[in-house]
Amino acid sequence: MSLIPKSHPRAKSLLIREKLVNGFDKGLVAKEGLLAQGRGEAFDYLLGEKTGKAAKHAIKVAAAQLLLADMPIISVNGNIAALCPKQIIRLSKQIKAKLEVNLFYTNEKRKKAIIKTLKNNGAREILGTNPASSVKLPGIDSARRIVDKNGIFSADVVVVPLEDGDRTMALRKAGKIVITFDLNPLSRTSQTANITIVDNVTRAIDLLINESKKLSKKNQKSLQKIVTGFDNKKNLRENIIQIKNNLTRRAGIA
Ligand code: PTJ
């Protein structure tokens, strides 16, 4: 049972924190995942804990890009498995993407717990578990370099939520289109991805599912038009302006 009173002014954020802590207790989240959550919370606070205009734009472009993909894939880590397992599976079904568990702080016990959670939430095929189809992605020193040859290795569009910087760079070098959710618009992943959704993944993922549903009725040409005009650097700058405006408003400086 939740200890967060519904009337608390920051109840939504505290419930997200609670989900992550529960995920840690269940063996899904790395200790470092708690720190990542703290960092994310700080940026979420600066963003006003809401989905801004720039994030909504990035979500639309991400949906179009995923619908255009030949072989999209979603990379799942501990934090995602704890925060939004149902939604990640719903998204994978909506855009016909595979799921692959890929951990930075590799740990077989945690991997098994993540797979169990995904299966309990309706996932059928989960890659990243078969040593026989594992290959190394060049340019990464961490455990994230081990990927499935039928998954991340051969995908054209890769969704990497809450990521560390090195892999995004390596995926780009391997010719892949990278979509990320990252509350920090200045992180290396945010700066390196093709499409960065600067929003809390727990808010943005439902919007991405809805947008993918909506855009699935469009033809390839219309989808391509949405993607072609997108400038990730410009979008990141707009997110930074949102932070600045939010801060000046709250501090009563403007
Ligand atoms: O489960 P593992 O072993 O694969 O490890 C996962 C973590 C997240 C621990 C690992 O990838 C890591 O250390 O990531 P970083 O380098 O801490 O980066 C995580 C990024 O996600 C930071 O920029 C945070 O601001 C951001 N972030 C944290 N929580 C959220 C978030 N972005 C969107 N939504 C969140 N809820």
Side-chain angles (χ1 to χ4, degrees), residues 64 151 166 194 206 216 235:
D166 293 342
N194 298 77
D206 285 324
S216 64
N235 193 267

Side-chain angles (χ1 to χ4, degrees), residues 16 28-41 43 76-79 83 102-106 110 114 144 161-165 181-184 187 189-190 197 199-202:
I16 299 171
L28 300 171
V29 177
K31 277 190 210 124
E32 294 80 356
L34 298 171
L35 302 175
Q37 163 75 15
R39 194 140 55 113
E41 279 184 16
F43 278 100
V76 181
N77 65 24
N79 287 48
L83 290 174
N102 180 283
L103 303 181
F104 184 83
Y105 300 100
T106 187
R110 194 156 64 85
I114 293 170
R144 283 215 199 279
L162 279 77
E163 183 73 6
D164 49 280
F181 297 86
D182 194 330
L183 280 159
N184 177 2
S187 78
T189 293
S190 286
I197 300 167
D199 194 16
N200 200 309
V201 66
T202 58

Side-chain angles (χ1 to χ4, degrees), residues 132-146:
S133 61
S134 295
V135 285
K136 282 185 190 152
L137 194 71
I140 315 178
D141 291 331
S142 77
R144 283 215 199 279
R145 69 186 181 282
I146 312 293

